[in-house]
Each structure stands twice: as C-alpha cells, then as structure tokens.
C-alpha cells in the first residue's frame, strides 16, 4: 500500500532513489496509464487501448502489459524487457498531489526504491534540489501536461463516437482460454465514415496521427500472446 507524503528538503535530505529498483515497481501491472506524447515510442512494442476508471467512468489511455491481473509480460526475472518504459513507471516513487490548495511533489514513503545507502540524492547537504530532482520535476510536468492533452483527445473521440468496446477470446499454448474485456479502441468503420468537416477538424487538432498510431499498435496484441505462450512453455 502506497504511503504518499509531501516531499520536503528537511525531512528527505538524506533519502536516495535506487534507480535499479524503479522498473520493478511495475512488475505486477497488467496495464499502465499513458499519455499521447508517448504514443510513438510505445507503439514500437505495446498495444495501446482505452479503459474506464471503475469509480468515475472516465476513460483513460493505457499500454497493455499482460492479460491477467498482476501479470506484466514485459517484466522477466529482474528487469524490464522493453525498448521504452512508460513514464508512469519511470517517475516512481514520485507523484503530484495537493496540499493547502497547492500542487506539490509527493513521494511514496513505502517505496522499495528509497534508500539511504545508494542511489540518486534528491537534495544535497544544503537542502538544495539536485539535478536528479530537477529531472523528475520535468518528467512530472510532462505527465501533467500530457494527461490534459490526452483527455482532450479522448473527448474529441467521444464527440465523434469513435470509441468502441474490444472483446476477444484467446487460447494460449496450454489450451488455457482468456476472454479480454473492459477495453476500448478506435471504431475504424465510423472513422472512415466521418464527413470532410469532421476529418478536417481532427487533423487541425493534431489527432489523426495518434488515432492511426493507436490502431497500428494493436498489432502488438499478437506479440503479447507470444510472450505469454513463451512464459507458459518455460514454466512447463
């Protein structure tokens, strides 16, 4: 269970972040929220889709990492087997929170990335920010801005009724059957049927490129199945 506390130079002056442990924070994540600025990097390896938060019903864009709960097929042994690691993984153990109506940087006090012995210092001995913390801040800013842009993108897709549910059955090498539900993708028939004005609007908004990137990325579902089959074969 995460324990978020506001980052403070007096309280956390001697805390370090062991970067070798960061990717392990996503070892049991089946999917991870992603932002539009990551799409081109993600699309090289990951299927990108949409899902809904169960508590709010709000759509979020995600990279798929596995098929079952707590299954990350990109985590193998002790390292992330990927060309690119999503921002929401590499920003660990830092988060953005609110304190007295102000935006603050928080840290997961229970994170296994935190240590006093080795790793990157967050503050120096004088309590000043290190280059590492400035890099983290830039990453968090990219995420916040990216989340805003991604929500506008999703709103445009909903406006044009371009999201449709995905539901498919997979039979793995051990004959185990898996039904994947709760995901959404671009409705290509409705996309093709859009009138010129709607297509022009999406183009002017810069949304056509991410739309087609999303569609293309779903081809990686097949490689994700291969990863699962390879893992099942190795286990047997």
């Amino acid at each position: 269970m995460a324990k978020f506390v506001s980052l403070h130079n007096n309280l956390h002056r001697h805390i370090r972040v062991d970067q070798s442990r960061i990717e392990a924070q996503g070892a049991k994540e089946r999917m991870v929220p992603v932002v539009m600025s990551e799409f081109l990097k993600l699309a090289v390896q990951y299927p990108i889709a949409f899902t809904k938060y169960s508590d709010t019903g709000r759509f979020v864009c995600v990279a798929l990492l596995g098929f079952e709960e707590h299954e990350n097929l990109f985590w193998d042994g002790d390292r992330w087997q990927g060309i690119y690691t999503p921002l929401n993984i590499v920003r660990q153990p830092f988060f953005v929170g609110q304190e007295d109506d102000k935006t603050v940087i928080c840290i997961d006090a229970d994170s296994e990335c935190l240590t006093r012995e080795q790793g990157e210092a967050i503050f120096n001995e004088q309590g000043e920010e290190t280059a590492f913390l400035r890099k983290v801040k830039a990453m968090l800013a990219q995420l916040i801005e990216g989340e805003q842009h991604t929500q506008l993108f999703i709103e445009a897709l909903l406006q044009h009724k371009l999201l449709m549910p995905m539901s498919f059955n997979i039979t793995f090498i051990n004959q185990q059957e898996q039904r994947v539900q709760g995901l959404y993708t671009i409705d290509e028939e409705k996309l093709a049927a859009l009138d010129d004005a709607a297509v022009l609007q999406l183009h002017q908004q810069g949304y056509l490129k991410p739309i087609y990137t999303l569609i293309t990325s779903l081809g990686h579902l097949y490689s994700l199945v291969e990863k699962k089959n390879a893992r099942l074969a190795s286990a047997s």
Side-chain angles (χ1 to χ4, degrees):
M1 188 73 177
K3 179 184 177 183
F4 299 127
V5 297
S6 178
L7 187 65
H8 196 283
N9 60 347
N10 286 332
L11 295 175
H12 303 110
R13 186 175 302 184
H14 302 294
I15 295 295
R16 293 176 174 268
V17 177
D18 185 346
Q19 291 185 288
S20 68
R21 301 180 186 179
I22 289 176
E23 291 180 341
Q25 306 305 298
K28 294 184 179 180
E29 298 293 335
R30 181 170 65 95
M31 60 181 71
V32 60
V34 297
V35 295
M36 199 165 56
S37 60
E38 297 181 272
F39 281 7
L40 289 178
K41 295 175 182 177
L42 291 163
V44 175
Q45 280 188 304
Y46 305 91
I48 310 170
F50 301 90
T51 190
K52 285 183 179 182
Y53 287 119
S54 58
D55 54 345
T56 64
R58 184 169 67 92
F59 279 97
V60 62
C61 200
V62 294
L64 302 180
L65 310 175
F67 296 103
E68 300 180 40
E69 196 70 20
H70 306 306
E71 177 183 68
N72 182 348
L73 296 170
F74 288 90
W75 182 259
D76 187 11
D78 59 355
R79 64 187 297 265
W80 194 285
Q81 301 286 345
I83 299 171
Y84 173 78
T85 307
L87 280 174
N88 265 309
I89 299 296
V90 296
R91 63 86 172 264
Q92 300 277 353
F94 297 94
F95 298 83
V96 173
Q98 293 291 320
E99 185 176 82
D100 298 327
D101 296 325
K102 295 181 180 180
T103 300
V104 296
I105 295 179
C106 296
I107 197 165
D108 178 6
D110 288 340
S111 172
E112 294 182 1
C113 299
L114 300 182
T115 175
R116 288 178 178 267
E117 290 77 32
Q118 61 183 15
E120 296 286 348
I122 302 172
F123 301 101
N124 62 23
E125 289 298 325
Q126 290 72 44
E128 299 167 334
E129 295 180 359
T130 61
F132 171 71
L133 181 54
R134 290 193 292 273
K135 179 181 176 182
V136 168
K137 281 187 169 182
M139 195 184 309
L140 292 173
Q142 182 183 347
L143 269 175
I144 292 173
E145 184 179 4
E147 287 167 0
Q148 294 169 348
H149 289 166
T150 305
Q151 279 305 310
L152 291 174
F153 173 56
I154 291 172
E155 288 171 14
L157 296 178
L158 292 172
Q159 176 190 343
H160 294 289
K161 298 180 172 58
L162 290 179
L163 289 186
M164 65 175 231
M166 294 171 61
S167 182
F168 52 94
N169 296 320
I170 303 170
T171 302
F172 297 110
I173 196 171
N174 64 350
Q175 302 307 308
Q176 171 190 343
E177 294 186 0
Q178 180 85 35
R179 183 171 179 80
V180 179
Q181 294 178 296
L183 298 175
Y184 297 78
T185 190
I186 303 296
D187 188 325
E188 295 185 57
E189 289 188 7
K190 288 185 178 178
L191 177 63
L194 288 178
D195 59 33
D196 291 345
V199 173
L200 179 60
Q201 181 184 23
L202 289 170
H203 170 69
Q204 291 174 335
Q205 292 172 311
Y207 292 156
L208 285 181
K209 189 173 184 178
I211 283 173
Y212 286 109
T213 301
L214 276 163
I215 292 171
T216 303
S217 77
L218 289 183
H220 291 302
L221 283 170
Y222 296 101
S223 61
L224 204 59
V225 171
E226 287 184 359
K227 284 180 178 290
K228 173 78 170 186
N229 282 334
R231 186 162 296 187
L232 291 170
S234 176
S236 62

